[in-house]
Amino acid sequence: MSTAISVRLPEKLAMDIDEIALETERARSFHIQKAVEMYIQEYADLQVGLDRLNDPSDPVVSLEEMKAKLEL
């Protein structure tokens, strides 16, 4: 199920999205949806990193240890 959301964008950004939509032969809404999905995933990844950074019980792994674990 989809929900319609109205948003105001700067004209230049809307024109850029339209240009991409023309080049890819996809709808403007497709590209906006994908961009929002990517943003939310990136935000979640950064939040996990921040939570781990601030967790004193989370062990720190040195670069040497990581290389050894990855066998580089």
Side-chain angles (χ1 to χ4, degrees):
M1 184 171 97
S2 295
T3 300
I5 297 176
S6 178
V7 62
R8 291 193 182 275
L9 299 174
E11 187 174 342
K12 171 74 169 101
L13 182 55
M15 289 172 46
D16 290 345
I17 295 168
D18 286 342
E19 189 174 313
I20 293 168
L22 272 173
E23 289 175 10
T24 61
E25 298 180 356
R26 293 285 191 131
R28 178 195 286 178
S29 61
F30 171 83
H31 292 287
I32 293 170
Q33 178 183 342
K34 292 301 176 190
V36 171
E37 288 172 358
M38 288 174 56
Y39 175 85
I40 290 171
Q41 183 60 50
E42 185 70 16
Y43 184 87
D45 290 346
L46 291 170
Q47 189 61 53
V48 167
L50 186 58
D51 291 345
R52 288 180 179 168
L53 181 64
N54 292 325
D55 181 0
S57 68
D58 193 28
V60 175
V61 179
S62 72
L63 181 58
E64 289 76 24
E65 290 174 298
M66 183 58 70
K67 284 181 179 179
K69 288 182 180 186
L70 296 173
E71 298 180 331
L72 296 177

mmCIF file of all heavy atoms in Angstrom, residues 15-27 31:
data_model
loop_
_atom_site.group_PDB
_atom_site.id
_atom_site.type_symbol
_atom_site.label_atom_id
_atom_site.label_comp_id
_atom_site.label_asym_id
_atom_site.label_seq_id
_atom_site.Cartn_x
_atom_site.Cartn_y
_atom_site.Cartn_z
ATOM 1 N N MET A 15 13.891 20.211 -10.945
ATOM 2 C CA MET A 15 14.347 20.112 -12.337
ATOM 3 C C MET A 15 15.391 19.004 -12.489
ATOM 4 O O MET A 15 15.376 18.261 -13.475
ATOM 5 C CB MET A 15 14.907 21.455 -12.808
ATOM 6 C CG MET A 15 13.817 22.506 -13.009
ATOM 7 S SD MET A 15 14.435 24.181 -13.336
ATOM 8 C CE MET A 15 15.691 23.938 -14.545
ATOM 9 N N ASP A 16 16.272 18.874 -11.507
ATOM 10 C CA ASP A 16 17.266 17.798 -11.539
ATOM 11 C C ASP A 16 16.590 16.428 -11.495
ATOM 12 O O ASP A 16 16.983 15.508 -12.225
ATOM 13 C CB ASP A 16 18.239 17.932 -10.372
ATOM 14 C CG ASP A 16 19.181 19.119 -10.502
ATOM 15 O OD1 ASP A 16 19.283 19.681 -11.619
ATOM 16 O OD2 ASP A 16 19.805 19.490 -9.491
ATOM 17 N N ILE A 17 15.584 16.287 -10.659
ATOM 18 C CA ILE A 17 14.847 15.024 -10.572
ATOM 19 C C ILE A 17 14.143 14.739 -11.893
ATOM 20 O O ILE A 17 14.158 13.598 -12.382
ATOM 21 C CB ILE A 17 13.844 15.040 -9.397
ATOM 22 C CG1 ILE A 17 14.590 15.121 -8.069
ATOM 23 C CG2 ILE A 17 12.939 13.810 -9.431
ATOM 24 C CD1 ILE A 17 13.709 15.418 -6.875
ATOM 25 N N ASP A 18 13.549 15.749 -12.479
ATOM 26 C CA ASP A 18 12.885 15.569 -13.772
ATOM 27 C C ASP A 18 13.867 15.126 -14.853
ATOM 28 O O ASP A 18 13.546 14.273 -15.688
ATOM 29 C CB ASP A 18 12.196 16.865 -14.210
ATOM 30 C CG ASP A 18 10.933 17.158 -13.418
ATOM 31 O OD1 ASP A 18 10.401 16.228 -12.777
ATOM 32 O OD2 ASP A 18 10.486 18.323 -13.437
ATOM 33 N N GLU A 19 15.065 15.686 -14.822
ATOM 34 C CA GLU A 19 16.087 15.315 -15.806
ATOM 35 C C GLU A 19 16.486 13.851 -15.647
ATOM 36 O O GLU A 19 16.586 13.109 -16.626
ATOM 37 C CB GLU A 19 17.308 16.215 -15.631
ATOM 38 C CG GLU A 19 18.328 16.074 -16.725
ATOM 39 C CD GLU A 19 19.450 17.089 -16.583
ATOM 40 O OE1 GLU A 19 19.157 18.285 -16.368
ATOM 41 O OE2 GLU A 19 20.616 16.666 -16.673
ATOM 42 N N ILE A 20 16.678 13.436 -14.405
ATOM 43 C CA ILE A 20 17.013 12.028 -14.138
ATOM 44 C C ILE A 20 15.868 11.117 -14.564
ATOM 45 O O ILE A 20 16.087 10.059 -15.158
ATOM 46 C CB ILE A 20 17.349 11.831 -12.647
ATOM 47 C CG1 ILE A 20 18.643 12.567 -12.308
ATOM 48 C CG2 ILE A 20 17.452 10.352 -12.293
ATOM 49 C CD1 ILE A 20 18.917 12.672 -10.823
ATOM 50 N N ALA A 21 14.642 11.538 -14.284
ATOM 51 C CA ALA A 21 13.471 10.739 -14.652
ATOM 52 C C ALA A 21 13.394 10.560 -16.171
ATOM 53 O O ALA A 21 13.099 9.465 -16.660
ATOM 54 C CB ALA A 21 12.196 11.399 -14.135
ATOM 55 N N LEU A 22 13.689 11.616 -16.905
ATOM 56 C CA LEU A 22 13.689 11.519 -18.365
ATOM 57 C C LEU A 22 14.778 10.573 -18.859
ATOM 58 O O LEU A 22 14.534 9.725 -19.725
ATOM 59 C CB LEU A 22 13.904 12.902 -18.988
ATOM 60 C CG LEU A 22 12.669 13.741 -19.231
ATOM 61 C CD1 LEU A 22 13.059 15.146 -19.695
ATOM 62 C CD2 LEU A 22 11.773 13.079 -20.267
ATOM 63 N N GLU A 23 15.968 10.712 -18.305
ATOM 64 C CA GLU A 23 17.096 9.878 -18.733
ATOM 65 C C GLU A 23 16.869 8.404 -18.434
ATOM 66 O O GLU A 23 17.294 7.543 -19.206
ATOM 67 C CB GLU A 23 18.385 10.344 -18.051
ATOM 68 C CG GLU A 23 18.894 11.675 -18.549
ATOM 69 C CD GLU A 23 20.107 12.162 -17.777
ATOM 70 O OE1 GLU A 23 20.676 11.387 -16.978
ATOM 71 O OE2 GLU A 23 20.490 13.323 -17.980
ATOM 72 N N THR A 24 16.232 8.115 -17.334
ATOM 73 C CA THR A 24 16.043 6.727 -16.913
ATOM 74 C C THR A 24 14.693 6.149 -17.338
ATOM 75 O O THR A 24 14.447 4.961 -17.127
ATOM 76 C CB THR A 24 16.167 6.609 -15.385
ATOM 77 O OG1 THR A 24 15.163 7.414 -14.776
ATOM 78 C CG2 THR A 24 17.544 7.022 -14.919
ATOM 79 N N GLU A 25 13.857 6.998 -17.872
ATOM 80 C CA GLU A 25 12.492 6.591 -18.261
ATOM 81 C C GLU A 25 11.733 6.013 -17.074
ATOM 82 O O GLU A 25 11.006 5.025 -17.195
ATOM 83 C CB GLU A 25 12.527 5.623 -19.434
ATOM 84 C CG GLU A 25 13.134 6.236 -20.686
ATOM 85 C CD GLU A 25 13.174 5.286 -21.874
ATOM 86 O OE1 GLU A 25 12.789 4.103 -21.730
ATOM 87 O OE2 GLU A 25 13.609 5.737 -22.941
ATOM 88 N N ARG A 26 11.935 6.630 -15.917
ATOM 89 C CA ARG A 26 11.216 6.265 -14.698
ATOM 90 C C ARG A 26 10.488 7.498 -14.193
ATOM 91 O O ARG A 26 10.864 8.625 -14.491
ATOM 92 C CB ARG A 26 12.183 5.802 -13.602
ATOM 93 C CG ARG A 26 12.891 4.517 -13.880
ATOM 94 C CD ARG A 26 11.929 3.367 -13.681
ATOM 95 N NE ARG A 26 12.630 2.099 -13.678
ATOM 96 C CZ ARG A 26 12.474 1.168 -12.765
ATOM 97 N NH1 ARG A 26 11.653 1.342 -11.764
ATOM 98 N NH2 ARG A 26 13.116 0.039 -12.863
ATOM 99 N N ALA A 27 9.477 7.286 -13.386
ATOM 100 C CA ALA A 27 8.699 8.399 -12.843
ATOM 101 C C ALA A 27 9.500 9.173 -11.805
ATOM 102 O O ALA A 27 10.382 8.636 -11.143
ATOM 103 C CB ALA A 27 7.414 7.873 -12.194
ATOM 104 N N HIS A 31 12.145 7.938 -8.274
ATOM 105 C CA HIS A 31 13.452 8.414 -7.838
ATOM 106 C C HIS A 31 13.391 9.059 -6.449
ATOM 107 O O HIS A 31 14.315 8.889 -5.643
ATOM 108 C CB HIS A 31 14.035 9.380 -8.866
ATOM 109 C CG HIS A 31 14.380 8.684 -10.144
ATOM 110 N ND1 HIS A 31 15.454 7.840 -10.265
ATOM 111 C CD2 HIS A 31 13.772 8.675 -11.350
ATOM 112 C CE1 HIS A 31 15.500 7.358 -11.489
ATOM 113 N NE2 HIS A 31 14.487 7.843 -12.168
#
